[in-house]
Amino acid sequence: MTNIHDIARLAGCSVSTVSRVINHQKYVADDKRAKIEAIMRELDYVPNRMARDLSNGQTKTVGVVLPYANHPYFARIIDGIVSAGFAAGYKITMLPTNYDVTVERRYLDQLRSKAYDALIFTSRSSSLATLERYRKYGQIVCCEDPGDERPLAAAFTDRLASYINALAWAKRQGYQTMGVVLSRNNLISASTRTTRAAYEQVYGDLAPEKLFTGAVTYDDGYRAGAYFANLTPPVEAIFVNGDNIAAGVHQFFVDHDCQPLPVIGQENLLTSRILKFSTIDHHLEALGEAAFRLAIGSSTTHELIKSEFIKR
Amino acid sequence: MTNIHDIARLAGCSVSTVSRVINHQKYVADDKRAKIEAIMRELDYVPNRMARDLSNGQTKTVGVVLPYANHPYFARIIDGIVSAGFAAGYKITMLPTNYDVTVERRYLDQLRSKAYDALIFTSRSSSLATLERYRKYGQIVCCEDPGDERPLAAAFTDRLASYINALAWAKRQGYQTMGVVLSRNNLISASTRTTRAAYEQVYGDLAPEKLFTGAVTYDDGYRAGAYFANLTPPVEAIFVNGDNIAAGVHQFFVDHDCQPLPVIGQENLLTSRILKFSTIDHHLEALGEAAFRLAIGSSTTHELIKSEFIKR
DNA sequence: GCTTGACCTGGGACCGGTTTCATAAACTAT
DNA sequence: ATAGTTTATGAAACCGGTCCCAGGTCAAGC
């Protein structure tokens, strides 16, 4: 591989001058510049990215931490991040965790070792305190509402408001009892916390039998449908944490000739459009774009993305 | 930031010895090793990734070139690549092109500048000849059948066989005329070429009026549905280049109270499951995993992934 | 006693760039 | 004529590691 020294030697000048030409800086004589450029072209020379990055102390790379790549929720966020990153000339690296805290920690250590300029957590298993400790090694952006304390940069949707809005609408439609389907039943998950809070505000206490947890996929939703089909007394509608999961719930009713309970989904995926149930569109692409802006250092440290309730 | 020289100074030894400790090499006295490890822990030291990469001449990074991230076809391949990459300790970087050849060229130049160890083209706009010219700067993997000439590594599905299989099945079912929906009507797209070839083998010449092109999304499929609904003489079934697009075709018929024409989709997405139409599952995750293996240098240079026809 | 080889350690070149600083020539202003 | 500024260039330190090689110690083998 030809390097900057080769170019300098062939051009009969110093590497400093070549470097100036590469970076389009002033103070290079026109003829010398032309000559160096000609030699670079002739030798098919491209400056080594790693060397530049090392010298500049930056990678122009942002890591995206996510549980798994094949989930529409994360896919949409990633789409936004990748688009914004592309426009800004940044590289986006995918960092899957499978919800393993150890793996998350490994990525944080990579941030420390300057493998990335910043890290975006689309979801997290580590505590906020842990994340804050790594803040000094690079920007860290969360994709959740930080609440009152705002130590970390965050891009988030107005989940609570949109959940309350959707549930209140359902109640006005006459659904007096409401079942809930969630993914994880722990308190780290912002989605879980917020759903419970919204539910309590509209429907009061969330009775344990009205809650089905552990739902991530269509098949999980199918099982949730089975659960609610056999529940006595039955609920009148179900609030589900994702359109594909809601589609599973719906499909169970169809497959078993039950009167389908109305479901409300999230993400506004194709499935809700096809099966014509209401859903909340969180505008996740916009969320991803905002997260990226925060990652490479915007003046603000928090961005709220407005959700949209799609009644069907 | 503390670096290896700081550690060496504090430990009263040379950087060589510290480097040996970092890399768990032999020939370091036990007490000295313990001391160095203690100091590293105390100072919260992590070796700089960029410096190591520069010195080693590798990045442990593979770039994935794709038109756009939010398409299920590419999402599934990426899923496979990311999983395999994670297992092998590699970083996966997303490189969107929007089918812009200029952008593709830019990524090839980044390969030249050692920004990645390898590049995986899930789709390409550049010619194979162009890709081959960049082969010497790093491994390049295509996700398409290379045919007779096999200069580049490739992971691909048995498209032709699976298309013929699906179309032949449809013909046996009694569908004597078949419409076709495709994305791009050019010869670079392997999918387009192969579909035409399979069609000709089963149904003979593909009459222009039986072909609808430019379909990438559900809405495109909806338009395709409108097209075939008004076609005279009508076709008896439609072979579509993706489940979500096929869902759009189907939905047009439903929305307009036509007798829905049977559709055959691809990718075995949730939509085909819900709407219960037949589809070809190309096992794209497996394809992605194979592509990654080829990217980091497997003994073989070509891998064929078997498709599966799902009759519904 | 001498050779041999395993073990331990450090100096310094090297990976391929960027950047500071010193130097000098050419030009401008007094 | 002199001081001050702009332009042009190169030497060398630096970013933070890896690794080859030279040199030294020490015990086993003959």
Side-chain angles (χ1 to χ4, degrees):
Chain A
M1 283 301 297
T2 87
N3 60 29
I4 198 172
H5 295 93
D6 298 335
I7 304 293
R9 188 160 26 77
L10 263 54
C13 67
S14 73
V15 293
S16 321
T17 306
V18 179
S19 179
R20 281 187 200 99
V21 172
I22 292 171
N23 296 292
H24 304 102
Q25 289 174 9
K26 282 168 54 177
Y27 303 142
V28 176
D30 286 346
D31 56 338
K32 191 155 278 185
R33 182 182 302 261
K35 183 174 181 188
I36 290 172
E37 279 171 348
I39 292 177
M40 293 199 300
R41 210 163 3 210
E42 193 187 341
L43 291 199
D44 202 32
Y45 167 78
V46 173
N48 182 301
R49 184 75 279 147
M50 287 188 277
R52 304 183 83 168
D53 286 347
L54 173 61
S55 199
N56 291 326
Q58 55 151 17
T59 59
K60 286 270 186 183
T61 300
V62 171
V64 180
V65 179
L66 71 169
Y68 28 70
N70 66 347
H71 188 290
Y73 175 81
F74 300 108
R76 286 187 61 189
I77 298 181
I78 289 166
D79 191 29
I81 295 174
V82 168
S83 301
F86 172 71
Y90 271 70
K91 291 189 286 266
I92 305 297
T93 294
M94 311 276 279
L95 308 173
T97 66
N98 296 309
Y99 285 119
D100 184 337
V101 193
T102 320
V103 176
E104 264 190 36
R105 197 66 69 99
R106 192 147 74 225
Y107 293 139
L108 286 164
D109 282 326
Q110 290 180 1
L111 177 68
R112 205 157 60 132
S113 77
K114 299 285 173 209
Y116 320 107
D117 291 351
L119 235 36
I120 297 175
F121 280 81
T122 60
S123 170
R124 66 180 166 91
S125 298
S126 313
S127 70
L128 278 178
T130 303
L131 263 47
E132 283 164 39
R133 276 210 310 282
Y134 282 85
R135 175 62 187 84
K136 59 173 174 289
Y137 305 116
Q139 176 67 300
I140 295 181
V141 181
C142 285
C143 293
E144 66 181 274
D145 193 335
D148 292 336
E149 295 179 65
R150 311 189 139 202
L152 255 34
F156 51 97
T157 57
D158 53 346
R159 273 181 195 277
L160 185 62
S162 69
Y163 289 180
I164 290 174
N165 179 34
L167 289 170
W169 173 83
K171 199 169 186 184
R172 283 200 305 277
Q173 298 289 306
Y175 304 118
Q176 289 309 315
T177 54
M178 176 70 69
V180 174
V181 175
L182 287 176
S183 57
R184 298 185 291 167
N185 192 20
N186 61 35
L187 292 173
I188 282 187
S189 161
S191 151
T192 300
R193 280 200 315 269
T194 315
T195 304
R196 298 190 81 108
Y199 188 96
E200 277 162 26
Q201 204 156 327
V202 176
Y203 280 100
D205 270 357
L206 175 57
E209 74 273 9
K210 290 202 175 63
L211 173 65
F212 183 97
T213 57
V216 176
T217 64
Y218 172 86
D219 290 315
D220 298 333
Y222 203 84
R223 291 211 315 279
Y227 173 80
F228 282 111
N230 292 315
L231 185 65
T232 50
V235 292
E236 295 171 32
I238 307 173
F239 186 70
V240 189
N241 58 328
D243 277 1
N244 285 349
I245 305 162
V249 174
H250 176 91
Q251 199 61 37
F252 180 87
F253 295 126
V254 172
D255 285 356
H256 294 77
D257 289 322
C258 312
Q259 169 71 4
L261 286 179
V263 294
I264 298 177
Q266 280 181 58
E267 304 327 332
N268 191 21
L269 303 180
L270 205 42
T271 44
S272 67
R273 206 166 149 191
I274 290 172
L275 297 176
K276 301 198 194 321
F277 55 79
S278 298
T279 187
I280 302 171
D281 191 331
H282 288 303
H283 295 312
L284 295 176
E285 291 82 5
L287 180 73
E289 288 168 25
F292 177 80
R293 280 197 298 275
L294 294 172
I296 63 170
S298 103
S299 50
T300 58
T301 57
H302 296 81
E303 269 201 61
L304 174 70
I305 308 296
K306 285 277 182 191
S307 306
E308 181 184 358
F309 183 44
I310 294 163
K311 308 182 184 83
R312 289 196 177 110
Chain B
M1 285 303 298
T2 87
N3 60 30
I4 198 172
H5 296 93
D6 298 335
I7 305 293
R9 188 160 26 78
L10 263 54
C13 67
S14 73
V15 293
S16 317
T17 305
V18 178
S19 179
R20 280 187 202 100
V21 172
I22 292 171
N23 296 292
H24 306 101
Q25 289 173 8
K26 281 169 54 178
Y27 301 141
V28 177
D30 287 347
D31 56 338
K32 191 156 276 185
R33 167 169 276 141
K35 183 175 180 187
I36 291 172
E37 278 172 348
I39 292 176
M40 293 199 301
R41 211 164 4 213
E42 193 187 344
L43 290 199
D44 204 31
Y45 167 77
V46 173
N48 183 301
R49 189 65 288 144
M50 287 187 280
R52 303 183 83 167
D53 286 346
L54 173 61
S55 198
N56 291 325
Q58 57 151 17
T59 59
K60 285 266 183 187
T61 300
V62 171
V64 180
V65 179
L66 70 169
Y68 29 69
N70 66 348
H71 189 289
Y73 175 79
F74 300 108
R76 285 186 62 189
I77 297 182
I78 289 167
D79 191 30
I81 296 175
V82 168
S83 301
F86 173 71
Y90 270 70
K91 293 189 286 267
I92 305 297
T93 294
M94 311 275 279
L95 308 174
T97 66
N98 297 309
Y99 285 119
D100 184 338
V101 193
T102 320
V103 177
E104 263 189 36
R105 198 66 69 101
R106 195 147 72 224
Y107 293 138
L108 286 165
D109 281 326
Q110 290 179 3
L111 177 68
R112 208 160 56 135
S113 77
K114 299 286 171 207
Y116 320 107
D117 291 351
L119 235 37
I120 298 175
F121 281 81
T122 60
S123 171
R124 67 181 165 90
S125 299
S126 312
S127 70
L128 279 178
T130 302
L131 264 46
E132 283 165 40
R133 275 210 310 282
Y134 282 85
R135 176 62 188 82
K136 60 174 173 289
Y137 305 116
Q139 175 68 299
I140 294 180
V141 181
C142 286
C143 293
E144 66 182 273
D145 192 335
D148 292 336
E149 294 177 65
R150 312 190 138 202
L152 257 33
F156 51 97
T157 56
D158 53 347
R159 275 182 195 275
L160 185 62
S162 70
Y163 289 179
I164 290 175
N165 179 34
L167 288 170
W169 173 82
K171 199 168 186 184
R172 282 200 305 277
Q173 297 290 306
Y175 304 119
Q176 288 309 315
T177 55
M178 176 70 70
V180 174
V181 175
L182 288 176
S183 56
R184 300 184 289 167
N185 192 19
N186 60 35
L187 291 175
I188 283 188
S189 162
S191 153
T192 299
R193 278 200 316 269
T194 315
T195 305
R196 298 191 82 108
Y199 188 96
E200 276 162 27
Q201 203 156 328
V202 177
Y203 279 100
D205 268 356
L206 175 55
E209 74 274 8
K210 290 202 174 65
L211 172 64
F212 184 98
T213 57
V216 176
T217 64
Y218 172 86
D219 290 316
D220 298 333
Y222 203 85
R223 292 208 315 278
Y227 173 80
F228 282 110
N230 293 314
L231 186 65
T232 47
V235 292
E236 293 170 34
I238 307 171
F239 187 70
V240 190
N241 59 327
D243 278 1
N244 285 348
I245 305 163
V249 174
H250 177 91
Q251 198 62 36
F252 180 88
F253 295 125
V254 172
D255 285 356
H256 294 77
D257 290 322
C258 311
Q259 170 71 3
L261 286 180
V263 293
I264 298 177
Q266 282 181 57
E267 303 330 330
N268 190 19
L269 302 180
L270 206 41
T271 43
S272 66
R273 206 165 148 191
I274 290 172
L275 297 177
K276 301 196 195 318
F277 55 80
S278 298
T279 188
I280 303 170
D281 191 332
H282 288 302
H283 296 313
L284 295 175
E285 292 83 4
L287 179 73
E289 288 169 25
F292 176 80
R293 280 195 299 274
L294 294 173
I296 63 171
S298 102
S299 51
T300 58
T301 57
H302 295 82
E303 272 202 57
L304 173 69
I305 308 296
K306 284 274 182 193
S307 306
E308 182 184 357
F309 183 44
I310 294 163
K311 309 182 183 83
R312 289 195 176 109

